Amino acid sequence: MKLQQLRYIWEISRHELNVSATADSLYTSQPGISKQVRLLEAELGVPIFARNGKHLTEITDAGKLIVAIAGEILGKAQDIKNIAQDHKDNKAGTLSIATTHTQARYALPSVVREFMGRYPGIKLNINQGTPAQISELASRGLVDMAIATETIDHFENLVQLPCYEWNRCILVPQGHPLTQLAEIGLHDVAAYPIVTYVFGFTGRSQLDQAFEQHDIRPQVALTAVDADVIKTYVRLGLGVGIVARMAYDPDIDSDLVALDAGHLFGRSVTKICLRRDMFIRGFIYDFIRLFAPHLTQKIIKQALALREKHEVEALFKHIELPVR
């Protein structure tokens, strides 16, 4: 059994059983991957993937368990490399972040610029995906951290560290009737088609809950993962937009009006997710501190040592988070 073979089956599972796409992502050949998977299956004596001719159709029951453990092994292998690299040169290496579009586009740029200025020898990888996808990457140790608002609680080896709170705003074109109201209510917003985030992204669940609590069923005309796309369709008159306040730039978006919606939906919290048993290099602590100044090395270590979610929440209960 080779580490390379475990990487192949893990990557195949991430690429929806598409061996060609897996080969492209790993810069290798499709026949080479197929051969190594066959050799691994022969060594183990069980099929990892079910097949229809040359095509993989599903992961077998045994395969699901094998792939899951393969992911854990790959994460540990990366930890070994990180430990060695940190002792050899603590200002060289790779920082891999998995996050959503909103964080990558609006929250991270200034932090990344400052970090790269301090650590020019660090290669930075930013992977974008759904909260479920990025949480899984962090859980398996394939990235150093996940940053998102909608986090996934069923990854028991991940610790969620609160970073900052943020509010939403309602985007409308200049002269829209909502701009004439002294204060906007949920019924006022629901009177128009809504353009907002896809469910599972950027605090969408909290938005839905607000409408449900008041027994309001809004007409969601269009959803997107990208706030810039939402703004485009608001400009086309397809509805009123509901986005993170940080996504509105008064200079770039001067043709739109941002109406405060903090009183309608409440604040959401963006979190960093770390694997509880990971080895954290010094520059990773520094990156986290740049992103969330209250997350010192001491408090991160305290949080990672806790086993229960409510214990972590209690640790941060008296810390006032910044608002963006």
Side-chain angles (χ1 to χ4, degrees), residues 7-144:
R7 185 172 302 281
Y8 285 165
I9 63 173
W10 169 253
E11 290 295 336
I12 288 172
S13 71
R14 287 188 59 225
H15 286 85
E16 299 179 345
L17 309 186
N18 187 323
V19 179
S20 178
T22 301
D24 290 342
S25 71
L26 296 176
Y27 303 101
T28 188
S29 68
Q30 181 176 342
I33 290 180
S34 297
K35 178 182 178 181
Q36 290 301 318
V37 172
R38 289 285 193 184
L39 288 173
L40 178 60
E41 290 177 321
E43 179 182 348
L44 296 176
V46 295
I48 297 172
F49 301 103
R51 294 169 173 81
N52 182 7
K54 295 183 178 181
H55 299 287
L56 305 183
T57 56
E58 63 179 348
I59 306 177
T60 64
D61 290 341
K64 292 175 183 176
L65 299 174
I66 292 169
V67 168
I69 294 175
E72 295 173 4
I73 292 172
L74 292 171
K76 290 298 184 183
Q78 186 59 51
D79 280 347
I80 292 173
K81 293 179 182 179
N82 289 340
I83 292 171
Q85 184 64 47
D86 205 54
H87 282 75
K88 183 172 63 176
D89 184 353
N90 62 11
K91 290 194 174 182
T94 300
L95 173 59
S96 295
I97 300 168
T99 189
T100 57
H101 174 270
T102 296
Q103 301 301 323
R105 171 67 177 82
Y106 301 106
L108 283 173
S110 61
V111 176
V112 168
R113 180 177 56 197
E114 176 68 20
F115 177 80
M116 297 308 292
R118 295 185 184 185
Y119 294 94
I122 301 296
K123 178 184 177 183
L124 183 63
N125 295 325
I126 297 180
N127 307 269
Q128 293 187 51
T130 67
Q133 290 170 337
I134 65 177
S135 296
E136 182 171 357
L137 290 175
S139 176
R140 298 302 182 192
L142 300 182
V143 297
D144 297 303

Side-chain angles (χ1 to χ4, degrees), residues 136-279:
E136 182 171 357
L137 290 175
S139 176
R140 298 302 182 192
L142 300 182
V143 297
D144 297 303
M145 69 184 77
I147 303 176
T149 297
E150 301 279 4
T151 52
I152 307 300
D153 291 330
H154 66 260
F155 292 101
E156 296 181 356
N157 66 333
L158 291 183
V159 177
Q160 300 177 23
L161 309 176
C163 298
Y164 66 88
E165 296 180 341
W166 56 270
N167 288 319
R168 295 165 183 77
C169 67
I170 296 166
L171 296 181
V172 295
Q174 295 280 354
H176 191 278
L178 286 180
T179 64
Q180 308 304 313
L181 301 180
E183 184 174 270
I184 299 173
L186 285 175
H187 286 281
D188 299 317
V189 178
Y192 301 92
I194 291 174
V195 184
T196 192
Y197 298 108
V198 173
F199 186 81
F201 277 83
T202 320
R204 170 64 191 276
S205 62
Q206 191 170 349
L207 184 151
D208 290 341
Q209 289 168 9
F211 283 114
E212 289 172 5
Q213 288 172 0
H214 290 81
D215 198 26
I216 299 173
R217 297 181 180 179
Q219 177 192 348
V220 179
L222 186 143
T223 60
V225 301
D226 184 337
D228 292 327
V229 172
I230 293 172
K231 286 186 280 189
T232 295
Y233 286 102
V234 171
R235 291 184 172 103
L236 292 176
L238 295 186
V240 301
I242 303 178
V243 299
R245 183 64 179 79
M246 72 183 92
Y248 175 76
D249 186 313
D251 295 324
I252 298 174
D253 304 317
S254 58
D255 58 325
L256 299 176
V257 178
L259 305 173
D260 178 58
H263 63 293
L264 299 179
F265 306 112
R267 291 177 178 174
S268 292
V269 178
T270 291
K271 310 175 189 72
I272 285 178
C273 297
L274 300 175
R275 205 172 80 246
R276 181 174 280 107
D277 60 350
M278 73 180 289
F279 173 76

